[in-house]
Amino acid sequence: MSTLSGTGFSSDLIIIGAGIHGCSAALFSALRGMSVTVIEKDSVARHASGVNAGGVRRLGRHLAELPISVRSMEIWYRIAELVDDDCGFQVSPQIKLALREEQLEQMRRRVAELQALGYDHETMLTPADLLAHIPGVTDRIVGAIGSLHDGFAQPYQTTFAIHRKARSLGVRFYEGLRAESVSRDGVGIWEVKTAQGIFRAPKVLVAAGLWAGAFAESLGEAVPMSDYAPMMMVTTRLRPFCHAVVGAAGVPLSFKQMPNGTVVIGGGRPGLPDPETNRAEATFAPLRLSARTVTSLFPIMAEASIVRAWAGLEGRMADEIPVVGASKRHPGLYYAFGFSAHGFQLGPGTGEIMAELMATGQSPVDLAPLRIDRFGELRQAA
């Protein structure tokens, strides 16, 4: 952690939030030669970036997210070279199971739609294909969709590795320091007020997760975002039986066996968020439902015992896709937040894209569907 002295600190860019998106944007901005300051009210990876399931998936992405997801996947494949740490990243099939024919038909339409748009990473899997990847699965499965070259990684390890690399390039991180307000002075320089002084920069990126919405609202760009508490649990070690990351159509589930034999279960059933106290509570009723889902799909899981469960804090957008891009009201202001509990894989790609946008004014991918004013247009259309 850096220490602030004097009455303020100036840099080319201030980033509010040190999750994976804030740290990645800091890293890629520093690689472009920008001086960067990151302000974090808690600590690096304290919230959603540290408590998620670590899925590195393009499978099932909203079409608006796919350009970032595909670009991010290219970075994941070279993550060890980029941050001098393998981040626990492993290439592993991401598979979504279908238990009914109508679900399988929806998957076929999805693959056809993606192929028409030029994407070929998702493919249909037969029950025989499934047995090759996940031999322990129930025979009630009628088929599946898969992205066979996706994977998973370790959330804390990844975010801290990006943080370390950014620091080595000169990025200043101020942890335990809350950004109290964001405003511009008379000549257009952004000022971020904190208890220890005022930080100044011509550009600001708000990447503060659940707390980003309040900053956007204070700057006249309110968005519909709610509190959310993603929840996970991990089991005792089992013999190897699954080499894929598994979900299921119509059921909230994310399931994978780690290299040490433990199984991490999560996906879609939340705990209780309490942003006022900075805490989230894991609750047993939804965890029990997730456990039943898993044992119904994988009979071997009846042998497992839950050893730990946890929950985190995340911001969830009304349309389940994030805000990524430039402010529509203020020059030099940018956003990357609201990843709605599925932003981990997008982290490196978002950071690279935002760094290019902030440095050059141009984005390498179309960010229009993720613009911050899309909700205002929706309200007008309603």
Short mmCIF file of all heavy atoms in Angstrom, two decimals, residues 5 16 26 28 30 32 37 65 71 105 109 127 159 185 200 208 229 241 263-264 273 292 296 303 306 345 361 376:
data_model
loop_
_atom_site.label_atom_id
_atom_site.label_comp_id
_atom_site.label_asym_id
_atom_site.label_seq_id
_atom_site.Cartn_x
_atom_site.Cartn_y
_atom_site.Cartn_z
N SER A 5 1.03 11.68 1.03
CA SER A 5 1.60 12.76 1.82
C SER A 5 1.27 14.08 1.14
O SER A 5 0.98 14.14 -0.05
CB SER A 5 3.12 12.60 1.95
OG SER A 5 3.73 12.61 0.68
N ILE A 16 -11.00 3.94 -9.28
CA ILE A 16 -11.66 3.69 -8.00
C ILE A 16 -12.10 2.23 -8.00
O ILE A 16 -12.98 1.83 -8.76
CB ILE A 16 -12.86 4.61 -7.80
CG1 ILE A 16 -12.42 6.08 -7.86
CG2 ILE A 16 -13.55 4.33 -6.46
CD1 ILE A 16 -13.57 7.07 -7.82
N ALA A 26 -5.57 -0.89 -14.56
CA ALA A 26 -4.34 -0.23 -14.09
C ALA A 26 -3.12 -0.83 -14.79
O ALA A 26 -2.23 -0.11 -15.25
CB ALA A 26 -4.22 -0.39 -12.58
N PHE A 28 -2.89 -2.52 -17.72
CA PHE A 28 -2.79 -2.22 -19.15
C PHE A 28 -2.56 -0.73 -19.41
O PHE A 28 -1.92 -0.37 -20.39
CB PHE A 28 -4.03 -2.73 -19.88
CG PHE A 28 -4.02 -4.22 -20.09
CD1 PHE A 28 -4.81 -5.05 -19.31
CD2 PHE A 28 -3.20 -4.79 -21.05
CE1 PHE A 28 -4.79 -6.43 -19.49
CE2 PHE A 28 -3.18 -6.17 -21.24
CZ PHE A 28 -3.97 -7.00 -20.46
N ALA A 30 -0.76 1.19 -17.39
CA ALA A 30 0.66 1.37 -17.10
C ALA A 30 1.52 0.86 -18.25
O ALA A 30 2.55 1.46 -18.59
CB ALA A 30 1.02 0.63 -15.80
N ARG A 32 0.84 1.10 -21.21
CA ARG A 32 0.78 2.15 -22.24
C ARG A 32 1.54 3.40 -21.82
O ARG A 32 1.52 4.40 -22.53
CB ARG A 32 -0.67 2.51 -22.52
CG ARG A 32 -1.41 1.46 -23.32
CD ARG A 32 -2.85 1.86 -23.57
NE ARG A 32 -3.45 1.01 -24.59
CZ ARG A 32 -3.37 1.22 -25.89
NH1 ARG A 32 -2.75 2.30 -26.35
NH2 ARG A 32 -3.92 0.39 -26.75
N THR A 37 -3.12 5.80 -10.45
CA THR A 37 -3.39 5.69 -9.03
C THR A 37 -4.67 4.88 -8.85
O THR A 37 -5.67 5.15 -9.52
CB THR A 37 -3.59 7.08 -8.40
OG1 THR A 37 -2.42 7.86 -8.59
CG2 THR A 37 -3.89 6.97 -6.91
N GLU A 65 -21.73 -9.13 -24.42
CA GLU A 65 -20.47 -9.34 -23.71
C GLU A 65 -19.44 -10.10 -24.55
O GLU A 65 -18.25 -10.12 -24.21
CB GLU A 65 -20.70 -10.14 -22.43
CG GLU A 65 -21.51 -9.44 -21.37
CD GLU A 65 -21.73 -10.33 -20.17
OE1 GLU A 65 -21.67 -11.57 -20.31
OE2 GLU A 65 -21.95 -9.78 -19.08
N ARG A 71 -11.97 -11.51 -26.51
CA ARG A 71 -10.67 -10.82 -26.37
C ARG A 71 -10.00 -11.20 -25.05
O ARG A 71 -8.79 -11.41 -24.98
CB ARG A 71 -10.88 -9.31 -26.46
CG ARG A 71 -9.59 -8.55 -26.70
CD ARG A 71 -9.86 -7.08 -26.93
NE ARG A 71 -8.65 -6.33 -27.19
CZ ARG A 71 -8.21 -6.03 -28.40
NH1 ARG A 71 -8.89 -6.42 -29.46
NH2 ARG A 71 -7.10 -5.32 -28.56
N GLU A 105 -33.07 -28.08 -27.89
CA GLU A 105 -33.40 -27.32 -29.09
C GLU A 105 -32.98 -25.86 -28.94
O GLU A 105 -32.49 -25.23 -29.89
CB GLU A 105 -34.91 -27.42 -29.37
CG GLU A 105 -35.36 -26.70 -30.63
CD GLU A 105 -34.59 -27.15 -31.88
OE1 GLU A 105 -34.21 -28.32 -31.96
OE2 GLU A 105 -34.38 -26.28 -32.76
N ARG A 109 -30.34 -23.72 -31.33
CA ARG A 109 -30.58 -22.39 -31.89
C ARG A 109 -29.46 -21.43 -31.48
O ARG A 109 -29.06 -20.56 -32.26
CB ARG A 109 -31.95 -21.87 -31.43
CG ARG A 109 -33.12 -22.59 -32.07
CD ARG A 109 -34.40 -21.78 -31.93
NE ARG A 109 -34.84 -21.66 -30.55
CZ ARG A 109 -35.66 -22.50 -29.95
NH1 ARG A 109 -36.13 -23.56 -30.61
NH2 ARG A 109 -36.02 -22.32 -28.70
N PRO A 127 -24.81 -37.30 -25.79
CA PRO A 127 -24.56 -38.05 -24.55
C PRO A 127 -23.24 -38.82 -24.59
O PRO A 127 -22.54 -38.92 -23.56
CB PRO A 127 -25.77 -38.98 -24.46
CG PRO A 127 -26.87 -38.19 -25.13
CD PRO A 127 -26.19 -37.50 -26.28
N THR A 159 -6.13 -12.07 -9.20
CA THR A 159 -6.23 -10.62 -8.98
C THR A 159 -4.98 -10.09 -8.30
O THR A 159 -4.48 -9.01 -8.65
CB THR A 159 -7.49 -10.30 -8.16
OG1 THR A 159 -8.63 -10.91 -8.78
CG2 THR A 159 -7.72 -8.80 -8.08
N ASP A 185 -12.62 20.16 -11.29
CA ASP A 185 -12.32 21.54 -10.91
C ASP A 185 -12.61 22.47 -12.10
O ASP A 185 -13.13 22.05 -13.14
CB ASP A 185 -10.87 21.66 -10.42
CG ASP A 185 -9.84 21.42 -11.53
OD1 ASP A 185 -10.23 21.36 -12.72
OD2 ASP A 185 -8.66 21.28 -11.22
N ARG A 200 -5.82 13.95 -7.97
CA ARG A 200 -6.20 14.67 -9.19
C ARG A 200 -5.68 13.95 -10.42
O ARG A 200 -4.56 13.42 -10.43
CB ARG A 200 -5.64 16.10 -9.16
CG ARG A 200 -6.22 16.95 -8.04
CD ARG A 200 -5.65 18.36 -8.06
NE ARG A 200 -6.31 19.20 -7.05
CZ ARG A 200 -5.92 19.27 -5.78
NH1 ARG A 200 -4.88 18.56 -5.37
NH2 ARG A 200 -6.56 20.04 -4.93
N ALA A 208 -15.79 0.22 -9.11
CA ALA A 208 -15.96 -0.02 -7.67
C ALA A 208 -17.03 -1.06 -7.36
O ALA A 208 -17.58 -1.08 -6.25
CB ALA A 208 -16.29 1.31 -6.98
N ALA A 229 -25.36 -11.22 -3.44
CA ALA A 229 -24.37 -11.96 -2.65
C ALA A 229 -24.10 -13.32 -3.29
O ALA A 229 -24.73 -14.32 -2.93
CB ALA A 229 -24.86 -12.13 -1.22
N PHE A 241 -13.34 -37.45 -11.10
CA PHE A 241 -14.49 -37.93 -11.87
C PHE A 241 -15.02 -36.90 -12.85
O PHE A 241 -15.92 -37.21 -13.64
CB PHE A 241 -15.62 -38.36 -10.92
CG PHE A 241 -16.30 -37.20 -10.23
CD1 PHE A 241 -17.47 -36.66 -10.74
CD2 PHE A 241 -15.77 -36.65 -9.08
CE1 PHE A 241 -18.10 -35.60 -10.11
CE2 PHE A 241 -16.39 -35.59 -8.44
CZ PHE A 241 -17.56 -35.06 -8.95
N VAL A 263 -14.53 -30.30 -4.68
CA VAL A 263 -15.51 -29.84 -5.66
C VAL A 263 -16.05 -28.48 -5.22
O VAL A 263 -16.46 -28.33 -4.05
CB VAL A 263 -16.67 -30.84 -5.81
CG1 VAL A 263 -17.73 -30.30 -6.75
CG2 VAL A 263 -16.14 -32.18 -6.32
N VAL A 264 -16.02 -27.52 -6.10
CA VAL A 264 -16.54 -26.18 -5.81
C VAL A 264 -17.92 -26.07 -6.48
O VAL A 264 -18.06 -26.33 -7.67
CB VAL A 264 -15.61 -25.08 -6.33
CG1 VAL A 264 -16.22 -23.70 -6.09
CG2 VAL A 264 -14.25 -25.19 -5.67
N PRO A 273 -26.89 -10.12 1.10
CA PRO A 273 -25.94 -9.02 1.05
C PRO A 273 -26.24 -7.95 2.10
O PRO A 273 -27.41 -7.69 2.41
CB PRO A 273 -26.15 -8.46 -0.37
CG PRO A 273 -27.60 -8.73 -0.67
CD PRO A 273 -27.94 -10.01 0.05
N ARG A 292 -28.52 -30.59 -3.57
CA ARG A 292 -29.44 -31.58 -4.15
C ARG A 292 -29.32 -31.63 -5.66
O ARG A 292 -29.38 -32.70 -6.27
CB ARG A 292 -30.88 -31.23 -3.74
CG ARG A 292 -31.19 -31.52 -2.27
CD ARG A 292 -32.58 -31.05 -1.92
NE ARG A 292 -32.91 -31.34 -0.54
CZ ARG A 292 -33.97 -30.86 0.09
NH1 ARG A 292 -34.81 -30.07 -0.56
NH2 ARG A 292 -34.18 -31.17 1.35
N SER A 296 -28.15 -34.94 -7.79
CA SER A 296 -29.05 -35.51 -8.78
C SER A 296 -28.36 -35.69 -10.13
O SER A 296 -28.71 -36.57 -10.91
CB SER A 296 -30.30 -34.64 -8.95
OG SER A 296 -29.98 -33.44 -9.64
N GLU A 303 -21.32 -39.00 -1.76
CA GLU A 303 -20.24 -39.36 -0.85
C GLU A 303 -19.57 -38.13 -0.24
O GLU A 303 -18.78 -38.26 0.71
CB GLU A 303 -19.16 -40.16 -1.59
CG GLU A 303 -19.66 -41.41 -2.29
CD GLU A 303 -18.59 -42.05 -3.16
OE1 GLU A 303 -17.40 -41.63 -3.02
OE2 GLU A 303 -18.92 -42.94 -3.96
N ILE A 306 -19.69 -31.19 2.76
CA ILE A 306 -19.36 -29.77 2.62
C ILE A 306 -18.42 -29.36 3.74
O ILE A 306 -18.69 -29.62 4.92
CB ILE A 306 -20.64 -28.91 2.65
CG1 ILE A 306 -21.62 -29.37 1.56
CG2 ILE A 306 -20.29 -27.43 2.49
CD1 ILE A 306 -21.08 -29.27 0.16
N GLN A 345 -14.06 -13.78 -15.76
CA GLN A 345 -13.39 -14.06 -17.04
C GLN A 345 -13.19 -12.79 -17.85
O GLN A 345 -12.22 -12.66 -18.61
CB GLN A 345 -14.22 -15.07 -17.86
CG GLN A 345 -13.54 -15.57 -19.13
CD GLN A 345 -13.89 -14.75 -20.38
OE1 GLN A 345 -14.78 -13.89 -20.34
NE2 GLN A 345 -13.20 -15.02 -21.48
N GLY A 361 -9.06 7.11 -26.97
CA GLY A 361 -10.41 7.55 -27.32
C GLY A 361 -11.15 6.55 -28.20
O GLY A 361 -12.31 6.78 -28.57
N GLY A 376 -31.82 4.68 -19.61
CA GLY A 376 -32.64 5.84 -19.89
C GLY A 376 -33.42 5.65 -21.18
O GLY A 376 -34.61 5.96 -21.24
#
